[in-house]
Amino acid sequence: MKDWTLIGSINDIPRRGARCVMTPQGKIAVFRTMEDQVFAIDDQCPHKGGPLSQGIVHGASVTCPLHSWVISLETGKALGADEGSVKTIEVRLDGDRILARIEQAAMAAE
Ligand code: FES
C-alpha cells in the first residue's frame, strides 16, 4: 500500500543538491531546487545508470554527471534529443518535512 512517508527534511538537502533515500523501489534521489521545490526520481540515469543525485541541478532539471543527459525532475524524461525516462516519485512538503508517496510497509531508511 502506498502512503505518505517522512523521508527527511528540506534542510538536509542543499539548494541545487540532492540526497539519496533507500526504498523498496530502489534508491531514490531527492532534489531541492534553487526555488526550494522538492522532487524525487530514481537515482539511475536512463542512459547508462549514472548517479543522477550527483548531477547538477538547474531549474527543475538535472544534468547527469556521466554523459550530460538532461533529465526533467518533474516528468523524469530526458530532454532535448535524448530519449528515455526515469521513474518519478510523488513528494510534497509539510513545512520543512519531505513526504514521499511510497510503499509504507517495506520502507527502509538508509
Ligand atoms: S549515464 Fe547519464 S548520461 Fe550517460
Side-chain angles (χ1 to χ4, degrees):
M1 192 186 79
K2 284 193 173 179
D3 208 347
W4 290 102
T5 303
L6 179 66
I7 58 166
S9 164
I10 192 169
N11 300 317
D12 297 340
I13 310 175
R15 284 205 172 102
R16 302 183 70 195
R19 168 175 176 270
C20 289
V21 177
M22 286 306 296
T23 79
Q25 302 171 199
K27 185 152 72 162
I28 62 171
V30 186
F31 293 85
R32 175 180 179 181
T33 69
M34 195 63 197
E35 292 78 31
D36 291 336
Q37 287 180 289
V38 174
F39 297 99
I41 59 175
D42 273 350
D43 191 32
Q44 288 205 325
C45 179
H47 179 216
K48 292 194 174 169
L52 294 173
S53 57
Q54 291 171 34
I56 295 171
V57 177
H58 42 97
S61 305
V62 61
T63 297
C64 178
L66 294 196
H67 319 96
S68 302
W69 278 29
V70 179
I71 310 295
S72 164
L73 297 173
E74 292 170 311
T75 65
K77 293 199 173 116
L79 301 177
D82 301 312
E83 286 191 20
S85 65
V86 289
K87 194 161 44 134
T88 58
I89 294 95
E90 280 182 84
V91 286
R92 67 180 169 90
L93 281 172
D94 174 20
D96 290 347
R97 305 184 323 151
I98 304 170
L99 303 172
R101 200 150 177 274
I102 49 185
E103 296 288 339
Q104 176 81 11
M107 170 75 187
E110 188 171 34

PDB file of all heavy atoms in Angstrom, residues 44-52 63-71 82, ligand 1:
ATOM      1  N   GLN A  44      19.005   6.406 -11.046  1.00  0.00           N
ATOM      2  CA  GLN A  44      19.736   5.813 -12.168  1.00  0.00           C
ATOM      3  C   GLN A  44      19.375   6.489 -13.469  1.00  0.00           C
ATOM      4  O   GLN A  44      18.220   6.456 -13.900  1.00  0.00           O
ATOM      5  CB  GLN A  44      19.379   4.338 -12.278  1.00  0.00           C
ATOM      6  CG  GLN A  44      19.997   3.514 -11.163  1.00  0.00           C
ATOM      7  CD  GLN A  44      20.158   2.074 -11.597  1.00  0.00           C
ATOM      8  OE1 GLN A  44      19.322   1.565 -12.325  1.00  0.00           O
ATOM      9  NE2 GLN A  44      21.203   1.430 -11.157  1.00  0.00           N
ATOM     10  N   CYS A  45      20.358   7.052 -14.080  1.00  0.00           N
ATOM     11  CA  CYS A  45      20.145   7.703 -15.374  1.00  0.00           C
ATOM     12  C   CYS A  45      19.623   6.686 -16.395  1.00  0.00           C
ATOM     13  O   CYS A  45      20.104   5.548 -16.447  1.00  0.00           O
ATOM     14  CB  CYS A  45      21.475   8.286 -15.854  1.00  0.00           C
ATOM     15  SG  CYS A  45      21.364   9.083 -17.450  1.00  0.00           S
ATOM     16  N   PRO A  46      18.655   7.084 -17.219  1.00  0.00           N
ATOM     17  CA  PRO A  46      18.127   6.153 -18.227  1.00  0.00           C
ATOM     18  C   PRO A  46      19.132   5.828 -19.326  1.00  0.00           C
ATOM     19  O   PRO A  46      18.929   4.898 -20.092  1.00  0.00           O
ATOM     20  CB  PRO A  46      16.912   6.902 -18.793  1.00  0.00           C
ATOM     21  CG  PRO A  46      17.153   8.337 -18.485  1.00  0.00           C
ATOM     22  CD  PRO A  46      17.972   8.367 -17.225  1.00  0.00           C
ATOM     23  N   HIS A  47      20.221   6.566 -19.402  1.00  0.00           N
ATOM     24  CA  HIS A  47      21.231   6.277 -20.424  1.00  0.00           C
ATOM     25  C   HIS A  47      22.058   5.068 -20.006  1.00  0.00           C
ATOM     26  O   HIS A  47      21.834   3.965 -20.483  1.00  0.00           O
ATOM     27  CB  HIS A  47      22.118   7.518 -20.655  1.00  0.00           C
ATOM     28  CG  HIS A  47      23.193   7.304 -21.672  1.00  0.00           C
ATOM     29  ND1 HIS A  47      24.439   7.871 -21.552  1.00  0.00           N
ATOM     30  CD2 HIS A  47      23.200   6.583 -22.814  1.00  0.00           C
ATOM     31  CE1 HIS A  47      25.169   7.497 -22.602  1.00  0.00           C
ATOM     32  NE2 HIS A  47      24.439   6.723 -23.376  1.00  0.00           N
ATOM     33  N   LYS A  48      22.957   5.229 -19.050  1.00  0.00           N
ATOM     34  CA  LYS A  48      23.776   4.084 -18.611  1.00  0.00           C
ATOM     35  C   LYS A  48      23.849   3.987 -17.100  1.00  0.00           C
ATOM     36  O   LYS A  48      24.868   3.522 -16.538  1.00  0.00           O
ATOM     37  CB  LYS A  48      25.170   4.165 -19.217  1.00  0.00           C
ATOM     38  CG  LYS A  48      25.125   3.948 -20.727  1.00  0.00           C
ATOM     39  CD  LYS A  48      26.474   3.690 -21.341  1.00  0.00           C
ATOM     40  CE  LYS A  48      26.313   3.350 -22.810  1.00  0.00           C
ATOM     41  NZ  LYS A  48      27.580   3.334 -23.530  1.00  0.00           N
ATOM     42  N   GLY A  49      22.815   4.452 -16.431  1.00  0.00           N
ATOM     43  CA  GLY A  49      22.720   4.232 -14.989  1.00  0.00           C
ATOM     44  C   GLY A  49      23.534   5.168 -14.128  1.00  0.00           C
ATOM     45  O   GLY A  49      23.778   4.879 -12.953  1.00  0.00           O
ATOM     46  N   GLY A  50      23.953   6.288 -14.675  1.00  0.00           N
ATOM     47  CA  GLY A  50      24.733   7.246 -13.885  1.00  0.00           C
ATOM     48  C   GLY A  50      23.951   7.738 -12.673  1.00  0.00           C
ATOM     49  O   GLY A  50      22.729   7.756 -12.683  1.00  0.00           O
ATOM     50  N   PRO A  51      24.679   8.140 -11.612  1.00  0.00           N
ATOM     51  CA  PRO A  51      24.026   8.600 -10.385  1.00  0.00           C
ATOM     52  C   PRO A  51      23.507  10.032 -10.524  1.00  0.00           C
ATOM     53  O   PRO A  51      24.263  10.985 -10.374  1.00  0.00           O
ATOM     54  CB  PRO A  51      25.153   8.507  -9.343  1.00  0.00           C
ATOM     55  CG  PRO A  51      26.407   8.698 -10.133  1.00  0.00           C
ATOM     56  CD  PRO A  51      26.152   8.166 -11.519  1.00  0.00           C
ATOM     57  N   LEU A  52      22.235  10.143 -10.811  1.00  0.00           N
ATOM     58  CA  LEU A  52      21.659  11.474 -11.051  1.00  0.00           C
ATOM     59  C   LEU A  52      21.763  12.372  -9.824  1.00  0.00           C
ATOM     60  O   LEU A  52      21.830  13.593  -9.948  1.00  0.00           O
ATOM     61  CB  LEU A  52      20.201  11.332 -11.494  1.00  0.00           C
ATOM     62  CG  LEU A  52      20.018  10.641 -12.853  1.00  0.00           C
ATOM     63  CD1 LEU A  52      18.552  10.389 -13.130  1.00  0.00           C
ATOM     64  CD2 LEU A  52      20.638  11.476 -13.960  1.00  0.00           C
ATOM     65  N   THR A  63      21.428  17.538 -14.725  1.00  0.00           N
ATOM     66  CA  THR A  63      22.324  17.037 -15.767  1.00  0.00           C
ATOM     67  C   THR A  63      23.113  15.865 -15.204  1.00  0.00           C
ATOM     68  O   THR A  63      23.776  15.987 -14.172  1.00  0.00           O
ATOM     69  CB  THR A  63      23.294  18.140 -16.230  1.00  0.00           C
ATOM     70  OG1 THR A  63      22.520  19.191 -16.807  1.00  0.00           O
ATOM     71  CG2 THR A  63      24.266  17.617 -17.277  1.00  0.00           C
ATOM     72  N   CYS A  64      23.029  14.734 -15.871  1.00  0.00           N
ATOM     73  CA  CYS A  64      23.729  13.531 -15.418  1.00  0.00           C
ATOM     74  C   CYS A  64      25.238  13.786 -15.389  1.00  0.00           C
ATOM     75  O   CYS A  64      25.785  14.369 -16.323  1.00  0.00           O
ATOM     76  CB  CYS A  64      23.406  12.369 -16.349  1.00  0.00           C
ATOM     77  SG  CYS A  64      24.258  10.849 -15.903  1.00  0.00           S
ATOM     78  N   PRO A  65      25.919  13.319 -14.328  1.00  0.00           N
ATOM     79  CA  PRO A  65      27.357  13.578 -14.227  1.00  0.00           C
ATOM     80  C   PRO A  65      28.198  12.760 -15.219  1.00  0.00           C
ATOM     81  O   PRO A  65      29.354  13.085 -15.447  1.00  0.00           O
ATOM     82  CB  PRO A  65      27.689  13.173 -12.784  1.00  0.00           C
ATOM     83  CG  PRO A  65      26.621  12.210 -12.387  1.00  0.00           C
ATOM     84  CD  PRO A  65      25.383  12.643 -13.134  1.00  0.00           C
ATOM     85  N   LEU A  66      27.615  11.713 -15.811  1.00  0.00           N
ATOM     86  CA  LEU A  66      28.448  10.877 -16.683  1.00  0.00           C
ATOM     87  C   LEU A  66      28.538  11.397 -18.114  1.00  0.00           C
ATOM     88  O   LEU A  66      29.629  11.634 -18.625  1.00  0.00           O
ATOM     89  CB  LEU A  66      27.942   9.428 -16.670  1.00  0.00           C
ATOM     90  CG  LEU A  66      28.085   8.691 -15.343  1.00  0.00           C
ATOM     91  CD1 LEU A  66      27.919   7.190 -15.549  1.00  0.00           C
ATOM     92  CD2 LEU A  66      29.418   8.966 -14.667  1.00  0.00           C
ATOM     93  N   HIS A  67      27.398  11.528 -18.777  1.00  0.00           N
ATOM     94  CA  HIS A  67      27.468  11.962 -20.180  1.00  0.00           C
ATOM     95  C   HIS A  67      26.538  13.124 -20.471  1.00  0.00           C
ATOM     96  O   HIS A  67      26.139  13.355 -21.614  1.00  0.00           O
ATOM     97  CB  HIS A  67      27.160  10.801 -21.135  1.00  0.00           C
ATOM     98  CG  HIS A  67      27.767   9.497 -20.722  1.00  0.00           C
ATOM     99  ND1 HIS A  67      27.067   8.545 -20.003  1.00  0.00           N
ATOM    100  CD2 HIS A  67      29.015   9.009 -20.874  1.00  0.00           C
ATOM    101  CE1 HIS A  67      27.863   7.510 -19.763  1.00  0.00           C
ATOM    102  NE2 HIS A  67      29.043   7.764 -20.277  1.00  0.00           N
ATOM    103  N   SER A  68      26.119  13.806 -19.408  1.00  0.00           N
ATOM    104  CA  SER A  68      25.414  15.086 -19.547  1.00  0.00           C
ATOM    105  C   SER A  68      24.034  15.030 -20.178  1.00  0.00           C
ATOM    106  O   SER A  68      23.592  16.011 -20.753  1.00  0.00           O
ATOM    107  CB  SER A  68      26.290  16.098 -20.308  1.00  0.00           C
ATOM    108  OG  SER A  68      27.499  16.265 -19.627  1.00  0.00           O
ATOM    109  N   TRP A  69      23.343  13.905 -20.085  1.00  0.00           N
ATOM    110  CA  TRP A  69      21.925  13.939 -20.435  1.00  0.00           C
ATOM    111  C   TRP A  69      21.234  14.854 -19.430  1.00  0.00           C
ATOM    112  O   TRP A  69      21.630  14.933 -18.261  1.00  0.00           O
ATOM    113  CB  TRP A  69      21.309  12.546 -20.337  1.00  0.00           C
ATOM    114  CG  TRP A  69      21.529  11.679 -21.534  1.00  0.00           C
ATOM    115  CD1 TRP A  69      22.574  11.727 -22.399  1.00  0.00           C
ATOM    116  CD2 TRP A  69      20.676  10.613 -21.965  1.00  0.00           C
ATOM    117  NE1 TRP A  69      22.427  10.747 -23.346  1.00  0.00           N
ATOM    118  CE2 TRP A  69      21.278  10.051 -23.105  1.00  0.00           C
ATOM    119  CE3 TRP A  69      19.482  10.071 -21.495  1.00  0.00           C
ATOM    120  CZ2 TRP A  69      20.706   8.988 -23.790  1.00  0.00           C
ATOM    121  CZ3 TRP A  69      18.911   9.006 -22.166  1.00  0.00           C
ATOM    122  CH2 TRP A  69      19.515   8.470 -23.317  1.00  0.00           C
ATOM    123  N   VAL A  70      20.199  15.525 -19.905  1.00  0.00           N
ATOM    124  CA  VAL A  70      19.427  16.402 -19.018  1.00  0.00           C
ATOM    125  C   VAL A  70      18.073  15.744 -18.753  1.00  0.00           C
ATOM    126  O   VAL A  70      17.343  15.413 -19.693  1.00  0.00           O
ATOM    127  CB  VAL A  70      19.245  17.793 -19.647  1.00  0.00           C
ATOM    128  CG1 VAL A  70      18.413  18.689 -18.733  1.00  0.00           C
ATOM    129  CG2 VAL A  70      20.608  18.425 -19.910  1.00  0.00           C
ATOM    130  N   ILE A  71      17.776  15.537 -17.479  1.00  0.00           N
ATOM    131  CA  ILE A  71      16.553  14.840 -17.086  1.00  0.00           C
ATOM    132  C   ILE A  71      15.628  15.819 -16.372  1.00  0.00           C
ATOM    133  O   ILE A  71      16.052  16.521 -15.450  1.00  0.00           O
ATOM    134  CB  ILE A  71      16.875  13.672 -16.118  1.00  0.00           C
ATOM    135  CG1 ILE A  71      18.000  12.783 -16.664  1.00  0.00           C
ATOM    136  CG2 ILE A  71      15.612  12.870 -15.788  1.00  0.00           C
ATOM    137  CD1 ILE A  71      17.694  12.049 -17.928  1.00  0.00           C
ATOM    138  N   ASP A  82      17.747  13.393 -26.551  1.00  0.00           N
ATOM    139  CA  ASP A  82      17.883  12.074 -25.943  1.00  0.00           C
ATOM    140  C   ASP A  82      16.521  11.504 -25.552  1.00  0.00           C
ATOM    141  O   ASP A  82      15.609  12.241 -25.209  1.00  0.00           O
ATOM    142  CB  ASP A  82      18.784  12.174 -24.714  1.00  0.00           C
ATOM    143  CG  ASP A  82      20.155  12.704 -25.084  1.00  0.00           C
ATOM    144  OD1 ASP A  82      20.723  12.190 -26.053  1.00  0.00           O
ATOM    145  OD2 ASP A  82      20.623  13.637 -24.420  1.00  0.00           O
TER     146      ASP A  82
HETATM  147  S1  FES B   1      24.699   7.588 -17.788  1.00  0.00           S
HETATM  148 FE1  FES B   1      23.692   9.501 -17.655  1.00  0.00          FE
HETATM  149  S2  FES B   1      24.162  10.473 -19.483  1.00  0.00           S
HETATM  150 FE2  FES B   1      25.126   8.552 -19.661  1.00  0.00          FE
END
